């Protein structure tokens, strides 16, 4: 792994040279506004990170300063002032980290309840472990013992840095290199926290792993960092869901998710993203710049991304698969719903490097209101990817005449034995179908929700049961007010 | 400001010697191209065809008129030669009166070289102002700055031109020469004609750049059949910038087999409701040939239909590119647009890149695009061979069938047969090469 | 049940219905017959409240209320059911999901409790069995890839689940062979009740052999040109529409 070697070298070099003191008061709960080396040091110190982690962050920060924000996506937003944001904040009760849910600040739990997150009982019944991230610090983790028995490590990223530094050092930045893109590099410098999963050889993770993300404090940059490593023959299904309360200020979110999938292993990664999208006039709402990539490093490995994107003012997100191992499989199932003034630019990249690799892309975009939705995807077959296969289906549905839908696929093949098929359609909600449903007594919004759920069925079916129900409801809720 | 562009313009742009309206535009175009430079791969619309690199390190200079006999190599002759037509012939980019046939033009029909039209005092302001979409604007500017001659074809209202018009370009001389030509085609309301265009060259390393401004009035109809067969060392650019009026129709079918590297690009803009446009291209490439077929269709008004189909056969180390873009403007309801790119890779080292885009701002539309890349269907090949057909013949049959969607659609029967024949010759050259 | 007075309606500004008056009592079955283009389907769409059909004159009173003020779904919940001539295909939505959503939407609109999954399933299975609707069909997307007979059986199944007060059967016989027609007609006949009225719209007399009407009306060029008992249908079969429309003109 070239990226790993470079990282390690960079770190080793940096460690010897930089011995600045801290100029920031690390006792405070919040880093001062703005972004400089001291902010990075503050975050690292708050987390009591080892020197190599700090140097990794500083290296990223220095590289980030030389980079420019990308402008190729079909999204418009006011220029982000990176100096006018907070890069670290902890919940009030951080000093005394809770050991169990009983110790969690009841106000936090109340917020979860309001959001309909059945953290206390329902999750237990459903057999789902929760690593809830509130703002930037993990506050609750359950089911650790059961996972530990199976040999699965599921903890916050910060904990992993403390407890499993060798794994973090081995894999961090090997899928999404530090300088991959502007937002990923920013994340590498200031990542707050996130999840770490390690499933050892031959282990089938005994439960779905789930993380709920929240943004709850004004001007708080959220920089989640997630790393999932699944060893030979192992399997994990990971669920990620987000809901954010009402906010007036735009909030920046730049997450990085890295998946490492070794021989015969499988990772299923599902997301329901419902960050605050802003109000009807586009005021408020989250800017969501995400880099998600999975590396099918071993032969016969499989990575499947499923996403339901209904939130955020601006979404910039391309969960991708590098199909390196022979016979590896990459899948991308996506529903992106935009309403009001939301802007979505999302899609995937399938990079076929190994022999007999296959990928499948099913993307369903629904635009309503004055929103804009873009599918942007790359399917690339390299020279040695004998017998590679790709199938892409990309459908857009428009509701109302003030929204827009765009499709920007890049299809590149350098191997004659590869077969690539791409289909795309754009259509509107059928008047006949709406009339039929209403004649049977459904009101217009119910009818739209039903029809859109039908349009998305291929993708909804890919979600784990608990999520599918939530997602179906979300589809209806997201389109409220889009008709009539 | 690009040094490469400046050097090029200094050597090749036209000095201010024409009519005032044109000089103003040439000057502006020169400045604009000098600023933008030759498009390169970091320009999104040119990511697969790096023109800047293609023309780099060559001391380009203007071609000179070729006055003698034009000796067309065997198998490269004008495929439309047998068709009774009005004919404009250009050699090295310069009009050749002696080779053209422009006698007995019916009333209401104007066919002449651009230079002659300018001498008559005709103005083509709107044509020279039309730069097309961003993807094509640099080339339109380059052409405006450098074009010396070209064809002018104008039909008055209601004229149904019986005989086709042939527009034949020969390039017998190379040696880093360039020829920029500008065609202006205007069909007034209700007029119709067939344009047979052939671009044939054997001069070695040269650059040709042809821009055609089309303007179709209401109910006008233009059928455009094109052969692109430039020298295997040549770089060629062909740009069609079209305005299609209400209920008008533009149908283009192209066979492209020549050139070291080329780009066939069309930007079709609907100016009135009920219009229809189609652009279909078949391309056959071998060695290290590169062909880029790019089309932008702008459904600016409601109720128009469009289609784009590209069929590519890529052998050896050839690369093919298809870039399609359908734009449906807000309120352009009832738009119907289809785009399809199919490519066959015949060799281990061939490559294909496709980028079929949709940009939709209206809801009551039917828009679809598709793309396939693969090799010849092994089952079909096996089936044919199991019936006793030789492999080479079986391959040809399948490839001909593959190209049929483009070539068989040509409505002018003789032209259709002529281009199908050219495609067959390509296979024969292929089998000779392999034996 | 229903009173239509001097009803005029247009589609895209073209007048189709030109003064229809019709009174339907509780439990009555009325057949409306007529040639193609006479306005039969327009009448059914106007009753269901389809939005591109504009009422230019006249009134429709349903159970004593002005029907024209109600939205499509309000009419449905008030008991008006339209069996479509060409049931719309809805990909991705299974028949079962659709049935449950529709039944509960109407129950909710009427202030009744929604049926839980178990009760609903029991109800559907029972009704489906009566109409020979295979369980497998309920799992398929609504009307997608259904044969002509399956589509009409699915419509009849919906009718029996939704228990309407006024059912409008639009060309229910189209696309059916005689066996399929019998199954559908049986289903419809089972639903005849003193508090349920029906309008059977058809081009052919054939359907009326199976669903026997109390009254028959002949519609031509947007007007009812003759009304009578069930014998009128037989008369039409013998003489055809041409005579009648010409004599009316």
């Amino acid at each position: 792994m070239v990226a790993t070697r470079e990282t390690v070298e960079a770190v080793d070099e940096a460690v010897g040279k930089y011995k600045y003191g801290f100029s920031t008061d690390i006792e405070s709960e919040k880093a001062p506004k703005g972004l400089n080396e001291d902010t990075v040091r503050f975050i690292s110190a708050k987390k009591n990170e080892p020197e190599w982690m700090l140097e990794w962050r500083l290296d990223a920060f220095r590289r980030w300063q030389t980079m420019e924000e990308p402008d190729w996506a079909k999204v418009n937003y006011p220029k982000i002032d990176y100096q006018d944001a907070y890069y670290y904040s902890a919940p009030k009760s951080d000093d005394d980290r809770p050991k169990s849910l009983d110790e969690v600040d009841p106000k936090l739990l109340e917020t979860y309840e309001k959001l309909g997150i059945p953290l206390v009982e329902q999750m237990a019944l459903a057999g789902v472990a929760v690593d809830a991230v509130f703002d930037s610090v993990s506050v609750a983790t359950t089911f650790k013992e059961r996972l530990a028995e199976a040999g699965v490590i599921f903890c916050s990223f910060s904990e992993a840095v403390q407890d499993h530094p060798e794994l973090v050092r081995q894999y961090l930045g090997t899928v999404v290199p530090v300088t991959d893109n502007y937002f990923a590099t920013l994340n590498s410098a200031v990542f707050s926290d996130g999840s770490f999963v390690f499933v050892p050889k031959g282990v089938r993770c005994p439960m779905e792993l789930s993380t709920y993300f929240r943004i709850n404090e004004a001007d708080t940059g959220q920089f989640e960092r997630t790393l999932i490593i699944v060893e030979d023959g192992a399997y994990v299904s990971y669920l990620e869901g987000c809901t954010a309360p009402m906010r007036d200020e735009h909030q920046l979110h730049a997450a990085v998710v890295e998946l490492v999938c070794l021989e015969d292993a499988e990772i299923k990664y599902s997301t329901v993203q419902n960050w605050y999208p802003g109000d009807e006039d586009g005021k408020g709402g989250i800017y969501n710049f995400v880099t998600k990539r999975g590396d099918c490093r071993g032969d016969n490995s499989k990575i499947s991304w499923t996403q339901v994107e209904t939130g955020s003012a601006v979404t910039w997100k391309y969960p991708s698969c590098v199909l390196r191992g022979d016979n590896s499989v990459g899948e991308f199932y996506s529903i992106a719903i935009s309403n009001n003034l939301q802007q979505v630019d999302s899609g995937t990249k399938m990079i076929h490097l190994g022999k007999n690799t296959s990928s499948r892309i099913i993307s369903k975009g629904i635009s309503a209101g004055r929103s804009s939705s873009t599918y942007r995807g790359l399917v690339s077959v390299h020279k040695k990817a004998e017998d590679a296969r790709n199938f892409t289906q990309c459908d857009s549905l428009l509701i109302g005449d003030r929204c827009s839908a765009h499709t920007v696929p890049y299809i590149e093949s350098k191997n004659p034995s590869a077969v690539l098929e791409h289909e795309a359609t754009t259509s509107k909600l059928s008047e006949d179908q709406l009339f039929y449903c209403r004649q049977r007594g459904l009101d217009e919004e119910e009818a739209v929700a039903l029809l859109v759920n039908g349009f998305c069925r291929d993708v909804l079916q890919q979600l784990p049961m608990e999520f599918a129900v939530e997602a179906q409801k979300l589809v209806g809720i997201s389109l409220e007010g889009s008709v009539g | 400001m690009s040094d490469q562009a400046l050097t090029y313009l200094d050597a090749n742009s036209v000095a201010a010697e024409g009519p005032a309206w044109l000089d103003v535009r040439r000057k502006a175009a020169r400045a604009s191209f000098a600023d933008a430079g030759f498009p390169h791969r970091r320009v999104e619309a040119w990511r697969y065809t790096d023109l800047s690199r293609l023309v780099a390190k060559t001391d380009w200079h203007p071609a000179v008129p070729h006055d003698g006999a034009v000796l067309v190599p065997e198998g490269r002759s004008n495929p439309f030669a047998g068709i009774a037509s009005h004919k404009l012939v250009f050699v090295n980019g310069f009009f050749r009166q002696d080779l053209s046939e422009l006698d007995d033009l019916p009333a209401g029909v104007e066919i002449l070289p651009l230079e002659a039209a300018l001498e008559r005092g005709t103005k083509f302001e709107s044509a020279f102002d039309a730069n097309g979409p961003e993807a094509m604007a640099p080339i339109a500017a380059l052409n405006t700055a450098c074009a010396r001659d070209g064809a002018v074809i104008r039909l008055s209202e209601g004229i149904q031109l019986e005989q086709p018009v042939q527009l034949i370009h020969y390039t017998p001389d190379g040696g880093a020469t360039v020829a920029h030509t500008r065609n202006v085609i205007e069909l007034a309301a209700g007029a119709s004609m067939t344009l047979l265009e052939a671009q044939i060259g054997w001069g070695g390393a040269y650059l040709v750049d042809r821009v055609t401004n089309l303007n179709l009035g209401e109910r006008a109809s233009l059928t455009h059949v094109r052969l692109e067969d430039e020298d295997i060392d040549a770089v060629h650019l062909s740009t069609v910038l079209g305005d299609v009026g209400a209920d008008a129709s533009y149908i283009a079918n192209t066979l492209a087999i020549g050139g070291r590297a080329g780009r066939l690009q069309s930007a079709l803009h609907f100016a009135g409701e009920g219009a229809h446009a189609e652009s279909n291209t078949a391309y056959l490439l071998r060695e290290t040939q590169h062909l880029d077929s790019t089309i932008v269709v702008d459904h600016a008004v409601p109720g128009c239909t469009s289609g784009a189909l590209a069929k590519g056969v890529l052998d050896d180390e050839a690369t093919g590119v298809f870039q399609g873009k359908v734009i449906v403007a807000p309120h352009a309801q009832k738009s119907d647009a289809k785009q399809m790119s199919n490519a066959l890779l015949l060799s281990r080292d061939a490559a294909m890149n496709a980028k079929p885009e949709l940009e939709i701002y209206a809801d009551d539309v039917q828009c679809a695009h598709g793309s396939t890349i693969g090799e010849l269907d092994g089952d079909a090949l096996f089936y044919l061979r199991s019936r006793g057909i030789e492999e080479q013949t079986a391959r040809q049959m399948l490839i001909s069938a593959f190209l049929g969607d483009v070539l068989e659609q040509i409505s002018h029967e003789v032209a259709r047969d002529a281009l199908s024949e050219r495609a067959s010759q390509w296979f024969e050259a292929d089998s000779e090469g392999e034996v | 049940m229903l009173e239509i007075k001097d009803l005029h309606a247009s589609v895209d500004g073209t007048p189709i219905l030109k003064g229809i008056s019709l009174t339907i009592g509780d439990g009555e079955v009325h057949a409306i017959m007529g040639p193609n283009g006479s306005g039969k389907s327009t009448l059914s769409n106007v009753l269901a409240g389809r939005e591109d059909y504009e009422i230019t004159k006249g009134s429709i009173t349903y159970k004593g209320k002005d029907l024209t003020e109600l939205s499509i779904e309000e009419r449905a919940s008030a008991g008006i059911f339209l069996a479509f001539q060409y049931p719309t295909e809805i990909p991705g939505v299974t028949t079962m999901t659709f049935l449950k959503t529709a039944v509960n939407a109407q129950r909710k609109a009427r202030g009744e409790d929604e049926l839980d999954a178990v009760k609903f399933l029991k109800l559907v299975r029972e009704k489906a069995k009566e109409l020979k609707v295979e369980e497998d069909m309920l799992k398929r997307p609504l009307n997608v890839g259904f044969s002509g007979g399956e589509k009409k059986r699915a419509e009849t199944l919906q009718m029996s689940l939704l228990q309407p007060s006024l059912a409008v059967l639009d060309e229910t016989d189209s696309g059916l062979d005689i066996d399929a027609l019998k199954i559908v007609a049986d289903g419809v006949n089972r639903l005849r009740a003193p508090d349920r009225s029906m309008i059977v719209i058809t081009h052919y007399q054939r359907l009326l052999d199976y669903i026997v009407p109390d009254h028959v009306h002949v519609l031509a060029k947007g007007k009812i040109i003759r009304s009578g008992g069930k014998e009128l249908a037989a008369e039409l079969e013998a003489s055809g529409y041409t005579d009648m429309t010409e004599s009316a003109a």
Side-chain angles (χ1 to χ4, degrees), chain B residues 85-312:
Chain B
S85 313
H86 309 291
K87 187 151 94 180
L88 283 153
V89 176
F90 292 80
V91 180
N92 285 353
F94 295 93
F95 178 63
R96 280 284 293 268
Q97 179 85 48
D98 57 323
L99 301 175
S100 301
E101 292 167 30
L102 294 172
D103 299 334
D104 306 322
L105 289 179
V109 178
E110 216 181 326
I111 304 177
L112 72 169
L114 179 67
E115 215 175 8
L118 294 175
E119 272 165 28
R120 281 188 196 176
T122 317
K123 292 182 178 178
F124 301 101
E125 286 154 313
S126 58
F128 279 78
D129 282 339
N131 285 325
E134 216 180 318
M136 302 177 194
I139 303 307
L142 172 68
N143 188 278
T144 299
C146 302
R148 289 161 204 275
D149 209 348
V152 172
I153 301 169
R154 304 208 288 181
L155 302 193
S156 305
E157 191 169 336
I159 298 287
Q160 316 273 318
L161 192 58
E162 212 169 293
Q163 284 193 355
V165 176
Q166 286 189 33
L167 182 52
I168 312 298
H169 290 272
Y170 293 116
T171 308
D173 301 326
T177 55
V178 301
H180 295 271
T181 50
R182 184 67 158 245
N183 305 320
V184 179
I185 300 177
E186 295 174 355
L187 272 59
S192 74
M193 64 169 273
T194 296
L195 177 67
L196 306 176
E197 188 176 359
Q199 312 176 164
I200 299 165
W202 55 92
Y206 60 83
L207 167 70
V208 290
D209 158 42
R210 304 192 172 97
V211 172
T212 302
N213 291 96
L214 281 182
N215 195 323
L216 305 187
E218 284 178 27
R219 289 170 287 105
S221 155
L222 177 64
T223 302
H224 190 178
V225 181
R226 195 156 53 145
L227 169 72
E228 180 284 302
D229 185 12
E230 301 290 359
D231 192 282
I232 193 82
D233 287 323
V235 174
H236 65 97
L237 302 165
S238 282
T239 306
V240 173
L241 303 172
D243 257 3
V244 186
D247 297 313
S249 149
Y250 172 66
I251 295 177
N253 285 292
T254 302
L255 172 66
I257 51 181
R260 167 164 73 94
R263 171 136 154 165
L264 302 173
Q265 51 179 6
S266 306
L268 303 171
H269 168 262
F270 290 125
E273 295 188 23
H276 173 75
E278 242 178 80
S279 182
N280 306 316
T281 304
Y283 53 95
L284 300 163
L285 309 178
R286 60 163 62 95
E287 298 181 20
T288 58
Q289 283 183 290
H290 172 97
L291 189 93
D292 176 337
S293 171
T294 291
I295 177 163
V296 178
V297 183
D298 183 5
H299 284 256
V301 294
C304 297
T305 53
S306 70
L309 174 64
K311 292 267 191 177

Side-chain angles (χ1 to χ4, degrees), chain B residues 50-75:
Chain B
D50 192 332
L51 185 61
S52 172
R53 196 179 50 82
L54 282 168
V55 301
K57 293 180 191 144
T58 306
D59 179 20
W60 297 107
H61 54 277
V64 292
H66 178 109
D67 292 326
V70 179
L71 299 170
V72 184
E74 204 187 326

Side-chain angles (χ1 to χ4, degrees), chain A residues 265-280:
Chain A
E266 179 176 352
I267 302 176
K268 194 171 163 63
Y269 194 107
S270 313
T271 308
V272 172
Q273 186 269 120
N274 187 24
W275 299 110
Y276 180 56
D279 65 14
E280 282 169 29

Side-chain angles (χ1 to χ4, degrees), chain A residues 430-433 435-444 446 450-451 453-455 457, chain C residues 50-51 72-73 76 80-82 84 89-94 102 105-106 143 155 158:
Chain A
S430 148
E431 294 292 336
D432 285 343
Q433 292 176 351
F435 174 64
Y436 190 89
C437 292
R438 292 178 67 195
Q439 207 298 308
R440 296 298 185 255
L442 277 66
D443 70 32
E444 215 163 346
E446 282 175 301
L450 185 80
L451 293 173
N453 268 306
F455 174 76
R457 190 160 179 255
Chain C
R50 193 160 190 143
E51 277 150 348
I72 303 167
E73 58 271 22
I80 291 184
F81 179 90
L82 172 61
F84 286 67
E89 298 188 356
I90 306 190
V93 177
T94 65
Q106 293 202 15
N143 296 326
E155 292 288 288
Q158 290 184 42

